[in-house]
Amino acid sequence: MFDLCKLLQDNPYPGRGIVLGRTADNAKAAVAYFIMGRSDNSRNRVFEETEDGIRTKAFDESKMTDPSLIIYHPVRLLPQGMLIVTNGDQTDTIAENIKAGHCYRHALNTRTFEPDGPNWTPRISGVVKPDGSYNLSILKSMDGDPACCCRYFFEYDKPIAGAGHFIHTYQGDGSPLPSFEGEPWRVAIAAATARAWAEELWAALNTENKVSLYVQLVDLKTGARDVAILNKHS
Protein backbone atom coordinates (compact mmCIF):
# COMPACT_ATOMS: atom_id res chain seq x y z
CA MET A 1 0.00 0.00 0.00
CA PHE A 2 1.33 3.42 -0.97
CA ASP A 3 1.37 6.73 0.90
CA LEU A 4 -0.97 8.93 -1.16
CA CYS A 5 0.62 12.19 -0.05
CA LYS A 6 4.09 10.97 -0.98
CA LEU A 7 2.84 9.93 -4.43
CA LEU A 8 1.51 13.45 -4.91
CA GLN A 9 4.64 15.11 -3.55
CA ASP A 10 6.87 13.05 -5.85
CA ASN A 11 4.89 13.92 -8.99
CA PRO A 12 4.84 17.63 -9.93
CA TYR A 13 2.13 17.07 -12.53
CA PRO A 14 -0.21 14.08 -12.13
CA GLY A 15 -2.84 16.15 -13.98
CA ARG A 16 -6.30 15.25 -12.72
CA GLY A 17 -6.80 12.51 -10.16
CA ILE A 18 -9.50 10.39 -8.53
CA VAL A 19 -9.23 8.57 -5.19
CA LEU A 20 -11.94 6.14 -4.06
CA GLY A 21 -11.88 4.00 -0.93
CA ARG A 22 -12.96 3.51 2.67
CA THR A 23 -12.14 5.33 5.90
CA ALA A 24 -10.10 3.60 8.59
CA ASP A 25 -13.17 3.00 10.78
CA ASN A 26 -14.85 1.23 7.83
CA ALA A 27 -17.88 3.48 8.28
CA LYS A 28 -17.55 5.86 5.34
CA ALA A 29 -16.87 5.79 1.63
CA ALA A 30 -14.05 8.20 0.76
CA VAL A 31 -13.92 10.22 -2.48
CA ALA A 32 -11.37 12.78 -3.66
CA TYR A 33 -10.93 14.54 -6.99
CA PHE A 34 -8.36 17.17 -7.92
CA ILE A 35 -7.41 19.18 -11.00
CA MET A 36 -4.10 20.78 -11.92
CA GLY A 37 -3.09 23.08 -14.74
CA ARG A 38 -0.03 24.33 -16.63
CA SER A 39 -1.66 26.96 -18.86
CA ASP A 40 -3.31 30.18 -17.68
CA ASN A 41 -6.60 28.91 -19.11
CA SER A 42 -6.46 25.67 -17.11
CA ARG A 43 -5.43 27.47 -13.93
CA ASN A 44 -8.27 29.97 -14.23
CA ARG A 45 -10.80 27.61 -12.65
CA VAL A 46 -12.58 26.85 -9.41
CA PHE A 47 -14.87 24.10 -8.16
CA GLU A 48 -18.41 25.29 -7.43
CA GLU A 49 -20.93 23.19 -5.52
CA THR A 50 -24.16 22.26 -7.31
CA GLU A 51 -27.34 20.50 -6.19
CA ASP A 52 -25.97 17.09 -7.20
CA GLY A 53 -22.20 17.58 -6.90
CA ILE A 54 -19.81 20.14 -8.34
CA ARG A 55 -18.92 21.86 -11.59
CA THR A 56 -15.79 23.58 -12.81
CA LYS A 57 -16.16 27.29 -13.44
CA ALA A 58 -13.92 30.07 -14.70
CA PHE A 59 -12.59 32.14 -11.82
CA ASP A 60 -12.26 35.16 -14.10
CA GLU A 61 -14.71 34.85 -17.01
CA SER A 62 -12.89 37.58 -18.97
CA LYS A 63 -9.73 35.46 -19.09
CA MET A 64 -11.35 32.21 -20.27
CA THR A 65 -10.12 31.49 -23.80
CA ASP A 66 -11.37 27.96 -24.48
CA PRO A 67 -13.94 26.23 -22.23
CA SER A 68 -13.82 22.89 -24.09
CA LEU A 69 -12.38 20.03 -22.01
CA ILE A 70 -11.98 22.16 -18.87
CA ILE A 71 -15.57 23.19 -18.03
CA TYR A 72 -17.72 20.22 -16.95
CA HIS A 73 -19.41 18.54 -13.98
CA PRO A 74 -16.79 16.32 -12.30
CA VAL A 75 -19.17 14.96 -9.64
CA ARG A 76 -22.84 14.01 -9.87
CA LEU A 77 -24.97 12.18 -7.30
CA LEU A 78 -27.79 10.11 -8.79
CA PRO A 79 -31.18 9.77 -7.02
CA GLN A 80 -30.48 6.15 -6.07
CA GLY A 81 -27.34 7.17 -4.16
CA MET A 82 -24.75 6.30 -6.79
CA LEU A 83 -21.93 8.86 -7.06
CA ILE A 84 -20.10 9.51 -10.34
CA VAL A 85 -16.76 11.32 -10.50
CA THR A 86 -14.77 11.90 -13.69
CA ASN A 87 -12.32 14.29 -15.33
CA GLY A 88 -14.65 15.40 -18.14
CA ASP A 89 -18.12 15.50 -19.63
CA GLN A 90 -18.26 11.70 -19.52
CA THR A 91 -19.83 12.28 -16.08
CA ASP A 92 -23.02 13.12 -17.93
CA THR A 93 -22.62 10.20 -20.34
CA ILE A 94 -22.40 7.78 -17.41
CA ALA A 95 -25.32 9.41 -15.58
CA GLU A 96 -27.58 9.30 -18.64
CA ASN A 97 -26.76 5.65 -19.34
CA ILE A 98 -27.37 4.57 -15.75
CA LYS A 99 -30.71 6.39 -15.74
CA ALA A 100 -31.56 4.49 -18.96
CA GLY A 101 -30.81 1.15 -17.27
CA HIS A 102 -27.28 0.61 -18.57
CA CYS A 103 -23.99 0.42 -16.65
CA TYR A 104 -20.93 2.65 -16.57
CA ARG A 105 -19.07 0.29 -18.89
CA HIS A 106 -21.78 0.61 -21.51
CA ALA A 107 -21.49 4.39 -21.23
CA LEU A 108 -17.71 4.51 -21.51
CA ASN A 109 -17.67 2.20 -24.51
CA THR A 110 -19.19 5.15 -26.38
CA ARG A 111 -16.34 7.49 -25.40
CA THR A 112 -12.58 7.77 -26.02
CA PHE A 113 -9.68 9.81 -24.66
CA GLU A 114 -9.76 13.60 -25.00
CA PRO A 115 -9.14 15.09 -28.48
CA ASP A 116 -6.19 17.22 -27.37
CA GLY A 117 -3.30 15.79 -29.42
CA PRO A 118 -0.44 15.26 -29.01
CA ASN A 119 -1.28 14.59 -25.34
CA TRP A 120 -4.52 12.63 -25.95
CA THR A 121 -5.36 13.07 -22.27
CA PRO A 122 -6.94 9.94 -20.76
CA ARG A 123 -10.50 10.05 -19.50
CA ILE A 124 -10.59 8.74 -15.94
CA SER A 125 -13.88 7.84 -14.27
CA GLY A 126 -15.14 6.45 -10.99
CA VAL A 127 -18.48 5.20 -9.68
CA VAL A 128 -19.24 4.71 -5.98
CA LYS A 129 -22.26 2.55 -5.18
CA PRO A 130 -24.49 3.04 -2.10
CA ASP A 131 -22.80 0.10 -0.32
CA GLY A 132 -19.39 1.75 -0.77
CA SER A 133 -18.09 -0.62 -3.44
CA TYR A 134 -16.58 1.23 -6.38
CA ASN A 135 -15.32 1.08 -9.94
CA LEU A 136 -12.54 2.97 -11.72
CA SER A 137 -11.80 3.30 -15.41
CA ILE A 138 -9.32 4.88 -17.79
CA LEU A 139 -9.69 5.42 -21.53
CA LYS A 140 -6.33 6.16 -23.16
CA SER A 141 -4.53 6.07 -26.48
CA MET A 142 -2.27 3.16 -27.37
CA ASP A 143 1.19 4.56 -26.50
CA GLY A 144 0.20 7.96 -27.85
CA ASP A 145 -1.33 6.61 -31.06
CA PRO A 146 -4.83 8.10 -31.44
CA ALA A 147 -5.82 5.35 -33.88
CA CYS A 148 -6.46 3.01 -30.96
CA CYS A 149 -8.41 3.64 -27.75
CA CYS A 150 -7.60 1.31 -24.85
CA ARG A 151 -10.35 0.94 -22.25
CA TYR A 152 -9.47 -0.39 -18.81
CA PHE A 153 -11.98 -1.13 -16.05
CA PHE A 154 -11.15 -1.86 -12.40
CA GLU A 155 -13.87 -3.04 -10.02
CA TYR A 156 -13.60 -3.30 -6.25
CA ASP A 157 -16.61 -5.06 -4.72
CA LYS A 158 -15.34 -5.30 -1.13
CA PRO A 159 -13.36 -2.22 -0.08
CA ILE A 160 -10.93 -2.59 2.81
CA ALA A 161 -11.00 -0.26 5.82
CA GLY A 162 -8.35 2.44 5.61
CA ALA A 163 -7.52 1.75 1.97
CA GLY A 164 -8.46 2.97 -1.48
CA HIS A 165 -7.29 3.31 -5.07
CA PHE A 166 -5.83 6.31 -6.87
CA ILE A 167 -5.79 6.89 -10.63
CA HIS A 168 -4.63 10.01 -12.46
CA THR A 169 -4.16 11.22 -16.01
CA TYR A 170 -0.39 11.69 -16.36
CA GLN A 171 2.71 9.81 -15.25
CA GLY A 172 4.33 13.21 -14.77
CA ASP A 173 5.23 16.38 -16.62
CA GLY A 174 6.53 16.29 -20.18
CA SER A 175 5.87 17.24 -23.79
CA PRO A 176 3.76 15.49 -24.83
CA LEU A 177 2.38 14.55 -21.43
CA PRO A 178 2.85 10.82 -20.73
CA SER A 179 -0.41 8.99 -19.93
CA PHE A 180 -0.95 7.09 -16.69
CA GLU A 181 0.24 3.48 -16.86
CA GLY A 182 -0.67 0.31 -14.96
CA GLU A 183 -3.33 -0.38 -12.35
CA PRO A 184 -4.63 2.27 -9.95
CA TRP A 185 -2.32 2.80 -6.97
CA ARG A 186 -3.49 1.11 -3.75
CA VAL A 187 -3.23 3.83 -1.11
CA ALA A 188 -3.83 4.28 2.61
CA ILE A 189 -6.73 6.48 3.74
CA ALA A 190 -6.63 7.76 7.31
CA ALA A 191 -9.05 10.70 7.05
CA ALA A 192 -11.42 11.40 9.94
CA THR A 193 -13.20 14.36 8.32
CA ALA A 194 -13.47 15.67 4.77
CA ARG A 195 -11.79 18.93 5.72
CA ALA A 196 -8.84 17.24 7.40
CA TRP A 197 -8.24 14.94 4.43
CA ALA A 198 -8.63 17.80 1.97
CA GLU A 199 -6.03 19.91 3.77
CA GLU A 200 -3.64 16.96 3.86
CA LEU A 201 -3.97 16.29 0.12
CA TRP A 202 -3.90 19.98 -0.78
CA ALA A 203 -0.58 20.43 1.03
CA ALA A 204 0.89 17.49 -0.92
CA LEU A 205 -0.10 18.78 -4.38
CA ASN A 206 2.44 20.85 -6.32
CA THR A 207 1.98 24.47 -5.26
CA GLU A 208 2.43 25.95 -8.72
CA ASN A 209 0.23 23.50 -10.62
CA LYS A 210 -2.65 22.70 -8.25
CA VAL A 211 -5.99 24.32 -9.05
CA SER A 212 -8.91 22.74 -7.12
CA LEU A 213 -9.70 19.80 -4.83
CA TYR A 214 -12.97 18.12 -3.84
CA VAL A 215 -13.35 15.63 -0.98
CA GLN A 216 -16.43 13.77 0.21
CA LEU A 217 -16.94 11.21 2.99
CA VAL A 218 -20.24 9.31 2.86
CA ASP A 219 -21.64 7.58 5.96
CA LEU A 220 -22.59 4.12 4.73
CA LYS A 221 -25.39 3.72 7.30
CA THR A 222 -27.06 7.11 7.24
CA GLY A 223 -26.01 8.44 3.84
CA ALA A 224 -24.81 11.67 5.45
CA ARG A 225 -22.23 13.47 3.31
CA ASP A 226 -19.27 15.43 4.63
CA VAL A 227 -17.88 17.64 1.84
CA ALA A 228 -14.85 19.92 1.54
CA ILE A 229 -13.80 22.04 -1.45
CA LEU A 230 -10.48 23.87 -1.77
CA ASN A 231 -9.68 26.29 -4.60
CA LYS A 232 -6.41 28.06 -5.31
CA HIS A 233 -8.51 31.07 -6.32
CA SER A 234 -10.73 31.86 -3.38
Side-chain angles (χ1 to χ4, degrees), residues 44-80:
N44 180 34
R45 290 183 291 172
V46 293
F47 283 166
E48 181 178 74
E49 198 161 9
T50 64
E51 288 185 358
D52 64 349
I54 57 171
R55 67 170 181 167
T56 58
K57 180 183 177 182
F59 174 68
D60 185 341
E61 296 284 355
S62 67
K63 294 181 179 179
M64 178 61 67
T65 58
D66 181 7
S68 65
L69 302 180
I70 64 172
I71 300 300
Y72 55 94
H73 288 80
V75 177
R76 285 194 183 280
L77 176 64
L78 300 186
Q80 62 267 49

Side-chain angles (χ1 to χ4, degrees), residues 135-177:
N135 305 327
L136 284 168
S137 172
I138 184 168
L139 314 181
K140 51 186 276 189
S141 65
M142 173 71 81
D143 298 326
D145 181 356
C148 178
C149 178
C150 305
R151 297 178 175 86
Y152 300 94
F153 301 94
F154 308 92
E155 304 183 354
Y156 306 93
D157 59 4
K158 193 171 179 60
I160 297 173
H165 290 86
F166 170 41
I167 194 167
H168 50 96
T169 52
Y170 308 125
Q171 289 289 95
D173 211 342
S175 185
L177 288 160

Side-chain angles (χ1 to χ4, degrees), residues 158-214:
K158 193 171 179 60
I160 297 173
H165 290 86
F166 170 41
I167 194 167
H168 50 96
T169 52
Y170 308 125
Q171 289 289 95
D173 211 342
S175 185
L177 288 160
S179 293
F180 178 87
E181 295 179 0
E183 293 186 18
W185 302 89
R186 185 166 179 254
V187 296
I189 297 177
T193 66
R195 184 73 188 189
W197 195 29
E199 290 179 350
E200 181 182 293
L201 298 179
W202 189 250
L205 288 165
N206 181 272
T207 301
E208 182 179 0
N209 295 323
K210 65 185 177 183
V211 175
S212 296
L213 169 68
Y214 174 87

Side-chain angles (χ1 to χ4, degrees), residues 80-98:
Q80 62 267 49
M82 189 175 294
L83 188 76
I84 303 167
V85 52
T86 87
N87 73 325
D89 63 8
Q90 72 267 30
T91 307
D92 298 331
T93 304
I94 295 172
E96 290 163 4
N97 273 262
I98 289 175

